[in-house]
Amino acid sequence: MTLRAFQIDTFTGKVFGGNPAVVVLVPDWPDDASLAAIAREHNISTTAFLRVAGGSSEIRYFLPIGEVPLVGHASLAAAYVLLRILQPGLDSANLRFRAGSLRVAATAEGGVAITLPARPAQPCAAPEGLAAALGVPIVEARVNEAQYFAVLADQAAVARAEPDMNALMELDRDGVVVTAHGEGCDFVSRAFAPKEGLPEDPVCGSAHLALVPYWSERLGKTRHRALQLSPRGGALDCALEGDAVSLAGRCALYMEATISV
């Protein structure tokens, strides 16, 4: 069986930046073992499998360690493949995933956008040792079901954080996000998820489902320009839309290929 595959760098206008994901087109769903094997073979953070049939589209997400319910940057990559490569005349679509559906749309700036439910983070006491593990003082701490969020004094503090990954592995959440008000943008962040095999996430879409509600409250507005200060870097145009968050960005096609399985 041969399948078309694309590697897309998301939340960036150029290759070698942003967060890469592989999108594989499947005419029908192979067995789960085959999907997992393909993802392991790619050995990239996320492989998204996209099935387009008539007017409906389905998506599943696999890390090298197995399937996960939803991945933000891989959803953006799939949106780019669907709306910019496969069906460039289509303005928007719904992608059905295991737990629901998400809206994807083409943007006037040549990028794509995804809309997902917000995942607000609640105030909490900083876990013991978190500041030491990050190597920077924490101004405020928040938490949701997946991540701790450490608000830092400024953008420079976000840039100089040097986390102890072994210490982060001991926390009772999968990841830690550091954030601060930005210089020349609304806010900046970095995301660390060693439990998921990602010491530093190049651009973490899921983190912004909590960051956007937080900074909307702090800054008194609902539309934001956000930068992720990872080594690869990334830029997001974000909006709080009621109980949902829209994440928009440019994407760069790095590779189009045919795989044989």
Side-chain angles (χ1 to χ4, degrees):
M1 176 173 58
T2 59
L3 302 172
R4 292 178 71 189
F6 307 83
Q7 184 167 324
I8 309 294
D9 291 336
T10 64
F11 297 114
T12 181
K14 60 184 181 181
V15 295
F16 309 126
N19 201 350
V22 171
V23 179
V24 178
L25 304 182
V26 293
D28 293 297
W29 288 113
D31 61 87
D32 289 2
S34 296
L35 297 176
I38 292 170
R40 287 194 300 270
E41 187 72 11
H42 292 153
N43 196 31
I44 199 167
S45 65
T46 309
T47 297
F49 295 91
L50 180 64
R51 181 178 181 269
V52 181
S56 106
S57 301
E58 300 173 276
I59 188 169
R60 292 174 67 182
Y61 311 87
F62 281 77
L63 313 185
I65 60 174
E67 187 172 13
V68 292
L70 180 67
V71 180
H73 81 280
S75 300
L76 200 79
Y80 180 84
V81 170
L82 179 62
L83 301 177
R84 295 297 185 184
I85 298 176
L86 300 180
Q87 301 181 28
L90 191 63
D91 292 328
S92 63
N94 286 320
L95 297 182
R96 289 186 288 125
F97 61 100
R98 283 291 179 91
S101 67
L102 63 100
R103 191 72 172 167
V104 301
T107 68
E109 297 76 21
V112 286
I114 58 176
T115 303
L116 293 164
R119 298 167 67 182
Q122 304 304 317
C124 69
E128 184 177 354
L130 180 58
L134 293 173
V136 288
I138 295 173
V139 174
E140 181 183 355
R142 295 211 168 197
V143 66
N144 64 14
E145 68 278 8
Q147 295 156 317
Y148 281 107
F149 296 82
V151 182
L152 307 186
D154 52 31
Q155 180 169 321
V158 172
R160 69 171 180 267
E162 295 184 4
D164 178 340
M165 297 299 166
N166 289 329
L168 298 188
M169 290 281 287
E170 299 300 318
L171 298 174
D172 61 349
R173 294 295 189 274
D174 287 342
V176 174
V177 178
V178 294
T179 187
H181 186 50
E183 300 170 6
C185 64
D186 292 299
F187 64 88
V188 298
S189 66
R190 291 171 67 194
F192 311 100
K195 287 185 179 180
E196 297 180 351
L198 282 172
E200 180 159 5
D201 194 326
V203 185
C204 184
S206 64
H208 287 78
L209 303 180
L211 290 170
V212 171
Y214 173 81
W215 286 108
S216 292
E217 181 181 355
R218 279 280 304 270
L219 301 178
K221 61 179 188 175
T222 58
R223 302 190 70 85
H224 307 276
R225 178 69 167 176
L227 299 179
Q228 189 131 356
L229 303 183
S230 66
R232 290 177 64 99
L236 307 89
D237 292 308
C238 315
L240 183 64
E241 301 176 349
D243 293 332
V245 171
S246 171
L247 303 177
R250 297 184 67 83
C251 294
L253 173 63
Y254 171 72
M255 178 182 69
E256 181 174 355
T258 300
I259 63 174
S260 299
V261 294

